[in-house]
Amino acid sequence: MESIPPVTELLHFVIPYLKKQVQLIKGAPEQVQSLHSELQFIEKSLKQYESYDRIFMEDNTVQEWLTQIRSLVPETKGIFNTYKTAKHVQNQRTWPNRWLNAVPHVLELRDIGKRVEKMKKKIEEINSYKNKYCHESQVAKPKRNSEWLEKQRREVEEENVEGFEVAIQQVTSMLLTKALTSEVVSIVGTTGSGKTTLAKKIYRIMSKQFEHPAWAFVPSIYSIRDLLLDILKDLMPIGEETLKLDDVRLAQKLRNFLRGKKYLVVIDGVEETQLWETLRKEKVFPNENHGSRLLLTTRSTRVASLASSSRDHVHNMVPLDETSRWTLLKKLVFKDGRCFPELEHLGKQIATKCVGLPLAIVSLASLLDRDKRYGQWVDIISNVSWYLNQKDSPPCFGILDLTYHTTIPEHLRKCLLYLGAYPSGSEILARQVINLWVAEELVKDEGGSKAEEIAWRYLEDLFSLSLIEVVRKRSDCGIRKFRIHEIWRMFCVLKSERIGFLQVHTKFVSHSSNNTPWRLSIHHELRCILSNNQDYLPDICTLLCFHDKDSHDSKGSKLDFNRSPCLTVLDVGSTRVSKVDENIKRSRLLKYLKLNHPSLNHLPRTLFSLPNLQTLDIKNTCVMSPYLPSGIWGMQNLRHLLLPPYTMLPKRTDQSRKCLWHLQTLSTITPDENTAALIFHSRFPSLIKLSLNSQEMENTKRCLERLYKLGCLQKLKIINRAVFPVPRTFPTSLVKVSLVKTDLVANDVMRMLEYLDHLQVLKLLKRSIRGPELEMKPNSFPQLRFLFMEEILVKTWRMGDGAMGSLEELTITRCHELESLPKQLRHLHNIRHVKVNSPSHCLRRELEQLNVQQCEVQIHF
């Protein structure tokens, strides 16, 4: 009887506990959905406050609230994604497996319920602090700061900047053409490149040659009315009656005044195509035969191409040369222009690191002017990026921040900030960035458009706004590699840190803050991060590593995924990774994985069971597994699969009769009978890009015979010897075809490809075709724009009338047997570039006598 009371007490404790656990399990879905709704509200609130940069907020309580609320976002997303993945995994199991895994699944739901309760308490607590200590008036963005920065931007660009002699001459000659019709000249460049300075210098020189000169500046927040009034004020006295006119009548008044006159109007800061469209629609500037001119400055290449009638009327700003950089810096720091001898070599190094942007030079000059000691300047050289990003240089950061919030569309801002993850001067692979943006959900599928299609448009938008520069183009003239302008990269690093978006760790500086890093970019050895017990590793969602060439990584790094369960993006770049641990299966949230070092020769099978993985890039590793694990058929979210050579797809088992519905890229696989069967049964219905590494010609032929099943295929690449099947088995959706070392009969290739109405790019590389002649029938290849031939074994090339009617660019490299070019090439109306490298002797003689006026011909003997 004595044992009964303890049992009763135990039951009193256990029963409520069990009820609580049941509530956690049953209520998990509703709790997670509620938390997700709260997350959406938090993100909307943060968007509202993001524009209120710390420079403008004087109250520390507001900053602290923002810091704390931002720190909750990664964990909240992690809880939601964990629940979504657990539910997906359980639903994908067969009924027997669901019963076998019922207990682990229930325990996982209970843990998720606990995490949701804990997170909701945190949110309530932080919001209670906000309501108690913060007021809306404390976070209002002062308008006067915005106006001050506008004024500061104009002064910075104008003050003392020199080195524009060549640019002045070029733009002046554009304005002084003999054309009597009204012409529009555009000056295009990134923020701080000196567009306004150049325009003002030209305006002073040219204004005397026009009867009616006028200057107008377009602020970040503008109205057509104010712009028209600014122009009118420079042309005529403005009375009360004029001020009462609406936009339409103001435009009419300006048009009537300019009619019949020779005028020069400069509009500084036209960043929106809509503004120019409005001016053109209202016919504000009459186009008469009086030699009038308009001069625009803009960051947008789209505005320039829309406004100016040809490329000859567009001037692209280039960075200041070394001499001009140093002259400007010296003039700003030493008012008499004489530098202390011991500081001169340091000053030149600092000027070089400002990459020729006047705004960056002016910003650093104010810092150098405060302390002219040798040691201080040495310190600045090592940390130029850091100093340019400090609050004590508001002309630099503040101006860029104003541009960021007022002229860069909201949907582009986070995409731009993400580029701050890359090291200074990096040549960024466009395709990689696109896949990262999608994995990070910065770009999503929308309507009938895939996220990747939208992301490519976003990248083009960043280029049109002069925020990035193209380093290398694709064969179809799209962006292959690009750089972000250095001053913008530095801005992105600091801005990302301030809003808790991204942190960058370099060998010299770790931009640490009170925020828990959500995304982390490492510019030195990954081992330095993984080997230390970093408190933030469990919370990291994104880890990007850009290997430092000077670091020593002979031992390699082991990727242990126990410490970072929330990882969604992992790119270790060229870092030496010796082993990927089996526990990668714990990273079920992983969406992007790139392993790129040849030292890696084995991958765990568990990697191919990750349900959320979208991009797997292992193409540069030495993983020598002939067949991928069959688990890949369960990776239903896979979009891009980039494999090392000699890799084959696994057969489907009875339990894996699934399609990879979202797979868009499959590169590079070795085809076999199984591959042909998979294509025939439409296991890749969304495939856009396919690369085949041919080993057995018959197997490759079987695959090619079934390509018509791939209705979305746009890009096809075949490597090594192959045999083409009978004609008309390729999908008509193909836009680009590349053949490398295929050793095919030239005319067989022509007969197979000539009917493809959408084919725009054809690359015949490294002995891909052979034969006595290459014949293109009349009107064949109607949409072909780019043709590349390299080391083809063809002697005679014939073209029928109307063939390749859309051709824009022709490149011929080391085709030593090719004796001549078809005469029909000279009659193609769209051709712009012909490049011939190392031609045969016969072709060389023909090219020396070639006279083609409508296109640029480059010949390298």
Side-chain angles (χ1 to χ4, degrees):
M1 299 295 293
E2 294 179 1
S3 63
I4 293 177
V7 171
T8 305
E9 290 177 14
L10 184 63
L11 288 174
H12 279 297
F13 170 77
V14 170
I15 290 173
Y17 174 78
L18 290 175
K19 283 183 178 180
K20 175 68 173 175
Q21 303 309 304
V22 170
Q23 288 173 357
L24 285 171
I25 294 164
K26 289 177 66 177
E30 290 78 10
Q31 287 178 311
V32 169
Q33 187 56 48
S34 171
L35 184 63
H36 186 243
S37 300
E38 192 137 15
L39 171 64
Q40 291 176 320
F41 178 78
I42 289 172
E43 289 184 321
K44 285 181 181 177
S45 298
L46 286 175
K47 277 185 181 179
Q48 176 187 352
Y49 288 109
E50 268 178 13
S51 59
Y52 306 155
D53 193 89
R54 292 182 187 181
I55 289 176
F56 302 114
M57 293 188 299
E58 299 175 358
D59 195 282
N60 291 330
T61 56
V62 177
Q63 295 180 26
E64 182 59 31
W65 172 73
L66 283 173
T67 299
Q68 290 190 22
I69 205 73
R70 282 184 188 122
S71 68
L72 300 182
V73 174
E75 191 177 348
T76 306
K77 282 190 173 182
I79 294 171
F80 180 70
N81 289 333
T82 301
Y83 170 74
K84 193 167 65 171
T85 304
K87 185 179 176 183
H88 172 78
V89 170
Q90 184 70 351
N91 289 340
Q92 291 296 309
R93 291 176 175 137
T94 59
W95 280 106
N97 279 332
R98 288 188 192 183
W99 284 107
L100 288 172
N101 290 278
V103 173
H105 180 62
V106 165
L107 292 176
E108 188 169 20
L109 289 180
R110 183 201 63 182
D111 291 340
I112 290 171
K114 284 183 177 179
R115 290 175 65 189
V116 170
E117 282 194 341
K118 185 178 178 183
M119 179 57 64
K120 286 203 162 190
K121 285 180 181 177
K122 281 186 183 178
I123 294 172
E124 288 174 7
E125 190 176 277
I126 292 172
N127 280 331
S128 69
Y129 290 150
K130 183 210 171 193
N131 296 332
K132 188 174 181 180
Y133 298 110
C134 301
H135 304 283
E136 290 298 319
S137 59
Q138 292 173 309
V139 294
K141 187 176 181 180
K143 184 180 177 183
R144 57 187 175 82
N145 281 304
S146 174
E147 293 171 347
W148 174 78
L149 283 170
E150 289 278 12
K151 180 175 181 291
Q152 199 66 12
R153 181 183 77 81
R154 297 196 295 273
E155 289 180 356
V156 163
E157 288 196 331
E158 183 181 1
E159 181 188 4
N160 295 317
V161 179
E162 53 186 71
F164 289 124
E165 291 78 12
V166 174
I168 290 171
Q169 186 178 356
Q170 291 173 345
V171 178
T172 301
S173 65
M174 294 179 190
L175 293 169
L176 291 177
T177 57
K178 294 181 180 180
L180 294 175
T181 56
S182 178
E183 297 284 356
V184 182
V185 175
S186 302
I187 300 175
V188 184
T190 189
T191 300
S193 59
K195 301 183 297 295
T196 301
T197 301
L198 175 60
K200 287 204 170 185
K201 288 178 180 288
I202 291 169
Y203 183 70
R204 293 192 190 105
I205 295 169
M206 298 293 297
S207 58
K208 296 177 182 177
Q209 302 187 37
F210 291 83
E211 299 172 33
H212 301 280
W215 177 285
F217 169 72
V218 183
S220 302
I221 301 173
Y222 71 90
S223 70
I224 290 291
R225 174 185 174 77
D226 290 342
L227 176 61
L228 296 174
L229 281 172
D230 284 346
I231 297 172
L232 278 168
K233 286 174 183 176
D234 268 13
L235 296 171
M236 59 187 294
I238 298 295
E240 290 294 328
E241 292 184 2
T242 302
L243 293 174
K244 294 177 182 178
L245 297 177
D246 60 18
D247 294 4
V248 175
R249 292 185 179 180
L250 274 176
Q252 185 179 1
K253 185 177 183 70
L254 178 55
R255 180 171 59 252
N256 291 339
F257 178 83
L258 294 176
R259 187 169 288 137
K261 299 181 176 67
K262 183 180 180 182
Y263 59 84
L264 169 66
V265 176
V266 180
I267 307 180
D268 179 28
V270 183
E271 307 303 345
E272 296 181 7
T273 55
Q274 184 181 353
L275 170 58
W276 178 252
E277 289 282 14
T278 302
L279 293 174
R280 187 166 64 177
K281 181 181 177 182
E282 297 296 332
K283 298 180 180 179
V284 174
F285 305 106
N287 188 3
E288 300 171 318
N289 296 327
H290 299 294
S292 297
R293 298 290 182 265
L294 284 169
L295 179 62
L296 311 181
T297 71
T298 179
R299 287 190 298 273
S300 172
T301 56
R302 289 184 181 174
V303 169
S305 61
L306 188 67
S308 300
S309 59
S310 74
R311 294 179 183 176
D312 296 335
H313 293 140
V314 177
H315 176 80
N316 292 291
M317 297 295 295
V318 296
L320 296 176
D321 59 32
E322 295 284 346
T323 302
S324 298
R325 295 175 198 182
W326 171 231
T327 301
L328 174 59
L329 186 66
K330 187 168 55 173
K331 188 175 181 180
L332 292 169
V333 177
F334 304 95
K335 304 309 176 187
D336 58 0
R338 297 178 182 178
C339 174
F340 304 152
E342 67 273 15
L343 294 178
E344 184 161 345
H345 72 285
L346 296 177
K348 288 180 178 179
Q349 291 181 53
I350 294 171
T352 298
K353 292 198 174 191
C354 289
V355 295
L357 286 175
L359 180 60
I361 295 171
V362 171
S363 298
L364 261 183
S366 62
L367 184 65
L368 295 170
D369 188 34
R370 297 175 200 168
D371 192 336
K372 298 185 179 71
R373 291 177 299 168
Y374 184 90
Q376 176 68 8
W377 282 33
V378 168
D379 183 50
I380 289 174
I381 286 177
S382 301
N383 300 286
V384 166
S385 299
W386 180 245
Y387 281 112
L388 276 174
N389 277 329
Q390 292 305 292
K391 285 169 63 177
D392 57 7
S393 62
C396 183
F397 181 85
I399 293 164
L400 295 178
D401 193 56
L402 181 67
T403 301
Y404 175 82
H405 285 294
T406 55
T407 65
I408 299 176
E410 185 178 330
H411 63 272
L412 294 180
R413 291 175 194 166
K414 293 291 176 64
C415 294
L416 174 65
L417 291 184
Y418 203 87
L419 302 182
Y422 289 84
S424 175
S426 293
E427 292 188 3
I428 304 170
L429 191 62
R431 173 180 51 77
Q432 179 188 11
V433 167
I434 297 300
N435 294 344
L436 284 167
W437 283 350
V438 174
E440 297 276 11
E441 296 186 4
L442 302 179
V443 188
K444 298 179 181 179
D445 294 338
E446 190 174 305
S449 299
K450 290 185 173 67
E452 287 82 358
E453 297 170 9
I454 299 169
W456 280 110
R457 293 201 294 269
Y458 285 6
L459 189 63
E460 292 286 350
D461 289 342
L462 291 177
F463 172 66
S464 71
L465 290 169
S466 299
L467 299 169
I468 61 174
E469 58 177 327
V470 176
V471 175
R472 186 181 172 193
K473 291 187 176 182
R474 300 195 310 261
S475 52
D476 61 357
C477 285
I479 301 173
R480 182 183 295 278
K481 288 185 176 181
F482 67 93
R483 288 193 194 95
I484 178 173
H485 288 294
E486 182 61 14
I487 195 167
W488 275 108
R489 189 197 69 83
M490 294 185 291
F491 166 81
C492 288
V493 171
L494 186 60
K495 182 72 175 180
S496 295
E497 179 193 328
R498 288 188 172 184
I499 67 172
F501 180 74
L502 169 79
Q503 282 190 21
V504 175
H505 286 203
T506 70
K507 192 160 57 175
F508 304 104
V509 179
S510 292
H511 296 275
S512 58
S513 68
N514 295 328
N515 296 337
T516 300
W518 178 6
R519 298 181 179 92
L520 182 61
S521 176
I522 306 167
H523 295 183
H524 54 109
E525 291 184 73
L526 178 64
R527 192 167 64 247
C528 296
I529 299 295
L530 298 181
S531 60
N532 298 327
N533 290 320
Q534 304 287 2
D535 294 336
Y536 51 70
L537 280 176
D539 298 314
I540 285 181
C541 297
T542 296
L543 185 58
L544 306 173
C545 186
F546 300 94
H547 189 57
D548 187 344
K549 294 177 182 177
D550 298 327
S551 60
H552 304 285
D553 65 347
S554 56
K555 294 180 181 178
S557 303
K558 175 185 175 183
L559 293 183
D560 185 349
F561 292 85
N562 277 328
R563 300 169 64 192
S564 302
C566 297
L567 266 182
T568 56
V569 170
L570 176 61
D571 183 349
V572 297
S574 58
T575 299
R576 185 184 180 94
V577 175
S578 57
K579 184 179 179 182
V580 177
D581 203 276
E582 291 279 346
N583 62 16
I584 191 173
K585 63 184 178 183
R586 296 177 180 272
S587 298
R588 293 191 299 182
L589 302 179
L590 201 62
K591 293 183 178 180
Y592 182 102
L593 177 62
K594 182 177 181 181
L595 305 169
N596 212 27
H597 200 281
S599 64
L600 186 64
N601 55 24
H602 175 73
L603 290 174
R605 299 182 71 84
T606 51
L607 187 152
F608 295 91
S609 63
L610 298 175
N612 290 303
L613 200 62
Q614 296 178 359
T615 297
L616 176 60
D617 185 350
I618 54 173
K619 66 177 182 294
N620 292 324
T621 64
C622 287
V623 176
M624 299 299 291
S625 176
Y627 286 96
L628 292 174
S630 59
I632 195 169
W633 296 110
M635 300 170 72
Q636 292 293 289
N637 288 299
L638 200 60
R639 301 170 84 107
H640 307 283
L641 184 57
L642 295 94
L643 302 168
Y646 315 113
T647 304
M648 288 183 275
L649 294 172
K651 292 183 179 180
R652 293 180 301 110
T653 62
D654 291 338
Q655 290 79 25
S656 61
R657 291 181 177 176
K658 300 172 183 174
C659 298
L660 295 179
W661 293 101
H662 302 290
L663 190 67
Q664 299 172 36
T665 305
L666 183 55
S667 172
T668 300
I669 60 164
T670 298
D672 60 0
E673 291 183 15
N674 175 53
T675 310
L678 293 171
I679 293 174
F680 182 75
H681 290 101
S682 302
R683 299 305 169 192
F684 320 110
S686 302
L687 197 64
I688 293 174
K689 180 177 179 180
L690 174 65
S691 294
L692 300 174
N693 184 11
S694 176
Q695 294 301 307
E696 295 184 13
M697 291 190 289
E698 282 303 315
N699 284 335
T700 304
K701 182 182 177 182
R702 289 191 188 95
C703 288
L704 298 179
E705 286 174 341
R706 292 158 173 78
L707 283 187
Y708 67 91
K709 285 284 192 174
L710 301 176
C712 295
L713 192 67
Q714 295 181 16
K715 298 180 181 180
L716 173 65
K717 185 175 185 179
I718 306 172
I719 306 169
N720 293 331
R721 295 187 67 186
V723 177
F724 264 18
V726 294
R728 300 188 183 276
T729 59
F730 283 6
T732 56
S733 56
L734 278 172
V735 173
K736 177 180 178 180
V737 173
S738 302
L739 304 177
V740 184
K741 301 179 183 178
T742 49
D743 192 33
L744 291 161
V745 176
N747 282 334
D748 288 350
V749 174
M750 295 300 103
R751 301 297 80 79
M752 174 62 80
L753 303 180
E754 64 188 8
Y755 73 93
L756 299 175
D757 291 338
H758 298 98
L759 189 66
Q760 297 183 23
V761 180
L762 178 58
K763 303 179 83 169
L764 305 171
L765 310 175
K766 298 185 183 298
R767 300 174 179 260
S768 58
I769 60 173
R770 56 180 168 78
E773 71 173 15
L774 172 69
E775 182 185 7
M776 293 180 171
K777 291 184 177 180
N779 301 314
S780 59
F781 300 97
Q783 297 300 321
L784 194 68
R785 297 169 56 206
F786 305 94
L787 175 60
F788 300 84
M789 299 177 175
E790 179 182 340
E791 298 179 17
I792 64 169
L793 304 178
V794 172
K795 185 177 181 180
T796 305
W797 179 12
R798 304 185 192 281
M799 272 178 64
D801 292 338
M804 298 195 302
S806 302
L807 193 70
E808 297 176 14
E809 184 172 321
L810 170 64
T811 301
I812 301 173
T813 301
R814 295 188 297 278
C815 297
H816 296 145
E817 296 190 14
L818 189 63
E819 294 182 347
S820 64
L821 299 180
K823 293 180 180 179
Q824 287 82 355
L825 281 175
R826 305 182 187 186
H827 305 297
L828 298 179
H829 299 294
N830 295 317
I831 196 161
R832 296 289 177 266
H833 301 283
V834 176
K835 302 175 185 176
V836 183
N837 300 310
S838 186
S840 65
H841 292 295
C842 293
L843 185 55
R844 175 175 178 174
R845 286 196 299 269
E846 179 183 317
L847 292 170
E848 287 173 340
Q849 300 172 6
L850 187 66
N851 182 21
V852 183
Q853 295 183 352
Q854 78 268 23
C855 74
E856 177 188 0
V857 180
Q858 297 179 5
I859 306 170
H860 300 284
F861 298 117

